[in-house]
Every structure is written in structure tokens, then in C-alpha cells.
Amino acid sequence: MEMNRRTFLTYLGSGTAALAAAAAGLGSLTESKASAAAASHLFGYKSNKVSGFFEPIGHSKEDQLLLPKGFTYDVVAAYGDKINEAGDTFGFNNDFTVFFPIEGSNNHGLLWVNHEYSSDLFVHGAPAGADGKYTAEQIKKSLYNQGGSIIELKRGEDGKWAMDTKSKYARRVTGLTLMKLVGQAAGSNAVGSAVQVQGTFANCSGGMTLWNTLLTCEENFEETAELAGLNPTHYGWVVEVDPFDSSFEIRKHTSLGRFNHENTAMGLSKDGRVVVYMGDDKKDACVYKFVSKEKYIREMGRANTNLLYDGTLYAADMKKGKWIALTIEAVQKALADEKFKVPSLIKAKKEDLLAKFQTQADVVVNTHEAALILGATPTDRPEDIEICPFDNTFFVAHTNNDNHGNIHGHITRFFEKDSDLGALEFDFEIFAAGGRQSGFSAPDNLTFDSAGNLWTVTDMSSSSMNKGVFTSFGNNGMFVIPTTGPNMGEAMQFASAPLDAELTGPWFTPDETTLFLAVQHPGENTTDLAKPTSMWPHRPGDTMPRPAVVAITGFQF
């Protein structure tokens, strides 16, 4: 069958449920059937709240957060803002956001916000020690401004969102906060026998658990660990926090593996076990999932956290369509094979690897190497992963990889066998590709709305934007790929970021009347504080740009 671009886009945009049906040989669903499938969606509402609700905007090179006509945003928290009566302040370079309603409200709740990294120029200053290194005070300030913030937000009668700085819940979790290691590596030689460790930092994206806690992910932790003189094996983990309960001991889940985590996406296998999908944001990295040993019991609530202590970590072999169990037995068997050759991406000799991998703790601490040893597929910066709420397919944003000539990235859709998240076999397809034909480059965070529309934000580096092959895209943005209506299948731009910035962490309130979005590193290319390349959010009295979280409203249904 010959397909032109419009026919292909129409097929692509006929809905995630329709694609699943087509893959199964059932033919394309009608729009009415696709809408019916949306009746049992992630948020539990019965209508398509978001599709067909805006006129797309064009690419921009302005120093503004631009939205379609009829939409507005409130800056609810920016770097340095006081968040509670104790005097804690909002950290730097905000990323992932997740909203927790208070008493079921769509207008009042807690917002967790990640803080990914600090800045020499805007936060702690260039190395100031007599030895040319950072001082102890500079390191402390850098660590404090990473981690996460819990803030309380309310939407007033005027429709505007604002932070409640008198909140009893508001607090910081930082690179200075004590927390514990749990799971397969806790207390092992692989982590220096540690059970309690200092802090979380390099917090990129994350996810929500089925028991109403949050998971925040440590991504590019290496530089901060080195400058702070901290053991690097204590970082690169998935960290669990209860936003409502400060007595809940913050924990790092070592059984989920140690690598450059982007986010988590949690679901259930057909037999009731917890499944957690995870991406590893670096070039030539693998796609992972963890499957718990025991089953989820809803009535146990927060006690289900123990399910993440014990289970099997897998990596995807995309050539064979199989999940590879990352066990010490499998790694040792592979290394003992006389025919084994060390993969070119591993910079170690076979004898060094034999010495390194002695226990299961060594596997989860050195997950990337273990995956490559066992034949998992290196991919193009697998960042955000999201499970489609309709059919148990999951989507991976492969941001880019110039080593492979994949300059603009793509979004991959995986089909687990029998639609079972616990399956050990899968198939996949390229759902959407970045480039001139789609109007976006470098897809990053993903989310679904209740109509099944896929939302993505982009992560072109600030040094590349508006240059060379990236010129046509303008600033980073946010795009929606509809699955119904006259523009189905085409990526439509919903937001354009300020100069040098990227948009991150999109999260809807349950009724989808508000979208929270983080604006990260505006003015990142600044070299002289007297001449910032951005001044967003353009607040009176500011002398520097400030990363901030906004609440976007204006949805009409």
C-alpha cells in the first residue's frame, strides 16, 4: 500500500487505541470508538477534556513564554522564592513537577518540583578557594539548591494560582538531607557498606507511585558528587518521598538500578506485580524495567514501598524483542564464556569486569555495564517514558544521538506481548520522528491527556538553538500530537520557551483545567551578569533570569 505523508499522518494520528487495533490486525477504530476508549482513562473522567482546544502557535525566538490565544500563566515559584515560614527557598533549575490534590481538590494541593543542577554564575559563584576549588560554603549552597521543593498551591476566586508560604507541608529535600539506601545494594561493599547517605541531587524527572508518593530521579550526578567529595555510588538512584509526611524516611531504591535516570513510569502486570519503566539519559544507553517479586495490594497503601526492594531488573534487547534479566548469575556466565568480547562501549578489560561483578549489588550499582555485557541495546538518549493509559503500550522519548546521526531524535512506542507490562517479549515502532517535517527537535518529557493526545517538550541544547540545522525550530517548545479531529497526527506547538530555556515537567491537575510546567535555565548562555541573555520571567526588581514553575490556565470545554 502506497502512503503519502498526509495519509501516513492520518494513520499515525488515528489514536493510540487505533494503532493498537491496527497492529493486532483489527482495522482502524472509528472516532466514536476511540472516544469510547477514552472513557476509562488515566484520570477517571468520562470526556475528552483537552483535544481540539487551541490554535497552534509558531516557532519563536522571543524571550517570553508564549502560549496560544486565550491561555495565561501564573508564576507560582521561582529560584530564591521563600516557600515556608522556616525560610526555605525554592531551588535552582526546576524540572519535574507532580501535583498532589488536598482533599481531592483540583484547585488546592501540593506540588513537588525537582531541582536538577546549580550554576557558577547565578548561584554559588566560580571556584573561590585559595586552591582554585570551590569553598565549603559554595559546595553547601550548590547542594542546597538541588534536590526538590514541596510547595503548597491554591487557586483563588480570581482564577490565579499562588503559593501558600505559611504551609505546614512546604519543605525542601536537598543534597544535604540525610536518607537511606534500601534494596539489593543497601549495606553492600558495592556502596561502601552504606545504609544512610547524604542528599539527593541532579534530580531530573520522576513519577508518581500507585500509593501516592513520588519518585524523583538522579540523572547527571557525577560532577556534583566529585566536587562535593561524595561517594558516587550513593547517587544515580530513584528516590522516594512522601510529600504529605516528613516523618516518612526518604529512601533510594537500589533494586531499580544505578544509572543516569530520567524518570519512572509505574504500572501493574496482569498478575498484579508492580512494573517500573526507566530511561537512562545518555548516548548509547538502554531502556529498563523493574518487576516486583510480590504483588501490589491497594489496601496496604504506603507499605507497598517494600515492593520496590525486591524484584528483577531488566534491560531491553530491541533486536530480539526480549527483556534481559540483569542478574549476577547471567553476568558471571557471560563473562566466563571464552568467546565473550567486551563491548566497545565498556572501557574496561575482561579481567577487570570479572573482578567487579561478584554479587547482585555489583549489578545494580553498575547497571549500564551489566546491561551491555548481557546484550541489551544501546539507544539514543532514552529519556522520559510514559505508559499509555488506554492499551498498556509505552512510549520512550529518544532525544537524539549525534554519534548515530540521529540529530533530531524520535519517539518510540513499545508493545508488550499480550499487552502485559510484566511480559518478557515486546515489539516496537517509531511513533514520531523529530525534524523539519514534524516541526520539533529533541523530544524529552512526555505526558498523555485524557483524550490520548501525546504531549512532548523539547530539549535542544542552548548552544545549538537557532543555529545550523536547528535554526528552523526557534526556541525550545511544547507540542501536542492529537489523536482525533482535523489535525490528527500532526505535532502542534502549544508553547514556546524563553531564550536559552527548555520546558520540562508537564503535569495536569486531575480535571485538566491547569497544566503545571517548569521553565528551566533561561539565560543559560549568559557569561556576564551585567548582560544576561534572558531576563525571563521579567519580574520587577530582578537583575537575573530565574528558573520558575508556572500554572497554565485558559482551557475551555
Side-chain angles (χ1 to χ4, degrees):
M1 174 182 176
E2 291 187 13
M3 300 181 76
N4 60 27
R5 179 174 180 269
R6 169 60 63 177
T7 303
F8 173 73
L9 285 173
T10 300
Y11 172 76
L12 182 70
S14 59
T16 50
L19 283 171
L26 302 178
S28 180
L29 293 176
T30 65
E31 184 170 330
S32 62
K33 289 182 179 178
S35 297
S40 179
H41 59 67
L42 183 66
F43 301 110
Y45 291 85
K46 302 297 183 182
S47 61
N48 294 333
K49 291 281 188 179
V50 180
S51 60
F53 64 99
F54 74 100
E55 290 294 327
I57 66 173
H59 299 311
S60 169
K61 298 180 182 179
E62 295 183 43
D63 187 30
Q64 298 288 347
L65 173 59
L66 299 178
L67 302 173
K69 183 179 179 180
F71 291 85
T72 60
Y73 68 86
D74 303 313
V75 175
V76 296
Y79 167 61
D81 286 354
K82 178 182 173 182
I83 68 169
N84 59 23
E85 292 187 305
D88 282 315
T89 56
F90 195 69
F92 197 68
N93 272 344
N94 35 232
D95 200 302
F96 170 66
T97 73
V98 52
F99 180 76
F100 294 86
I102 292 178
E103 297 181 350
S105 174
N106 291 294
N107 298 314
H108 182 201
L110 301 183
L111 192 72
W112 165 274
V113 184
N114 275 3
H115 298 295
E116 189 170 2
Y117 58 96
S118 186
S119 164
D120 281 4
L121 190 65
F122 296 126
V123 182
H124 55 258
D131 55 0
K133 297 182 179 180
Y134 296 100
T135 66
E137 188 59 33
Q138 285 179 304
I139 292 171
K140 182 179 179 180
K141 190 170 185 180
S142 173
L143 293 175
Y144 177 80
N145 280 290
Q146 297 181 63
S149 293
I150 298 167
I151 58 177
E152 184 171 344
L153 302 179
K154 294 180 180 179
R155 189 177 187 184
E157 293 183 0
D158 59 358
K160 295 184 178 298
W161 285 89
M163 179 167 52
D164 180 2
T165 58
K166 296 183 179 180
S167 169
K168 65 179 181 180
Y169 299 110
R171 58 188 165 108
R172 288 295 316 281
V173 175
T174 75
L176 304 169
T177 306
L178 293 179
M179 50 197 67
K180 67 178 181 179
L181 298 180
V182 297
Q184 295 169 355
S188 69
N189 291 335
V191 294
S193 303
V195 174
Q196 188 177 69
V197 298
Q198 175 189 313
T200 181
F201 45 77
N203 303 79
C204 190
S205 190
M208 180 185 282
T209 68
L210 298 172
W211 45 94
N212 210 41
T213 60
L214 66 95
L215 299 175
T216 177
C217 294
E218 298 174 337
E219 191 190 49
N220 297 313
F221 60 88
E222 295 89 348
E223 183 177 345
T224 298
E226 181 179 5
L227 76 86
L230 298 167
N231 185 332
T233 67
H234 298 174
Y235 308 94
W237 303 108
V238 173
V239 185
E240 185 176 6
V241 179
D242 187 333
F244 289 101
D245 186 0
S246 60
S247 68
F248 176 82
E249 192 168 10
I250 300 170
R251 60 207 63 192
K252 300 193 177 193
H253 287 287
T254 66
S255 297
L256 273 59
R258 173 179 166 267
F259 43 91
N260 299 108
H261 284 275
E262 173 75 16
N263 85 313
T264 65
M266 182 178 287
L268 290 175
S269 66
K270 283 189 174 180
D271 63 3
R273 292 173 294 158
V274 169
V275 179
V276 184
Y277 292 97
M278 298 167 286
D280 183 2
D281 185 11
K282 58 178 176 282
K283 297 177 183 178
D284 304 316
C286 303
V287 176
Y288 299 92
K289 78 173 179 182
F290 169 87
V291 182
S292 67
K293 180 179 179 180
E294 303 298 334
K295 296 180 180 180
Y296 170 70
I297 301 175
R298 182 178 180 181
E299 292 73 21
M300 290 182 63
R302 200 174 60 179
N304 283 291
T305 182
N306 293 338
L307 295 174
L308 303 183
Y309 293 13
D310 192 11
T312 304
L313 183 63
Y314 297 89
D317 181 340
M318 296 179 67
K319 185 176 181 179
K320 296 180 179 178
K322 294 182 181 295
W323 289 104
I324 302 172
L326 305 184
T327 66
I328 186 58
E329 293 80 11
V331 172
Q332 290 180 334
K333 181 180 179 180
L335 292 173
D337 190 332
E338 292 182 358
K339 297 180 180 179
F340 176 80
K341 293 183 179 180
V342 178
S344 60
L345 293 171
I346 298 179
K347 307 303 179 185
K349 296 180 180 179
K350 183 176 180 178
E351 53 267 32
D352 296 327
L353 296 173
L354 283 165
K356 175 181 285 188
F357 288 100
Q358 298 294 315
T359 68
Q360 185 62 26
D362 297 318
V363 172
V364 295
V365 168
N366 303 286
T367 304
H368 179 64
E369 288 178 311
L372 295 177
I373 288 169
L374 294 177
T377 304
T379 68
D380 297 342
R381 288 183 64 197
E383 293 207 50
D384 213 315
I385 299 179
E386 294 296 335
I387 302 169
C388 177
F390 305 115
D391 59 11
N392 270 1
T393 61
F394 69 92
F395 291 68
V396 182
H398 287 96
T399 297
N400 53 31
N401 188 345
D402 55 6
N403 289 346
H404 299 166
N406 186 359
I407 306 303
H408 298 302
H410 60 273
I411 299 172
T412 309
R413 182 179 185 224
F414 285 72
F415 301 80
E416 294 279 32
K417 185 177 181 180
D418 300 324
S419 297
D420 182 5
L421 300 186
L424 298 182
E425 297 180 25
F426 62 86
D427 201 351
F428 72 93
E429 67 185 14
I430 304 302
F431 176 75
R436 290 174 60 92
Q437 80 288 347
S438 60
F440 67 85
S441 177
D444 191 338
N445 298 150
L446 305 172
T447 194
F448 284 97
D449 63 40
S450 64
N453 295 320
L454 183 66
W455 296 61
T456 183
V457 291
T458 62
D459 184 16
M460 295 178 289
S461 69
S462 59
S463 60
S464 298
M465 275 189 291
N466 297 306
K467 298 177 183 177
V469 297
F470 297 95
T471 302
S472 66
F473 304 104
N475 296 346
N476 276 311
M478 184 175 196
F479 297 81
V480 183
I481 305 178
T483 60
T484 59
N487 297 309
M488 61 183 183
E490 297 189 32
M492 300 188 297
Q493 187 161 0
F494 179 80
S496 178
L499 290 173
D500 302 346
E502 64 171 307
L503 305 177
T504 59
W507 194 278
F508 287 103
T509 54
D511 65 354
E512 296 178 303
T513 59
T514 298
L515 173 65
F516 296 103
L517 191 64
V519 180
Q520 191 182 103
H521 58 71
E524 185 178 45
N525 287 329
T526 300
T527 57
D528 182 349
L529 283 174
K531 300 177 182 179
T533 57
S534 168
M535 277 300 296
W536 191 88
H538 303 284
R539 299 198 301 189
D542 267 350
T543 59
M544 60 172 279
R546 294 183 185 272
V549 170
V550 302
I552 299 173
T553 55
F555 300 94
Q556 300 292 325
F557 310 125

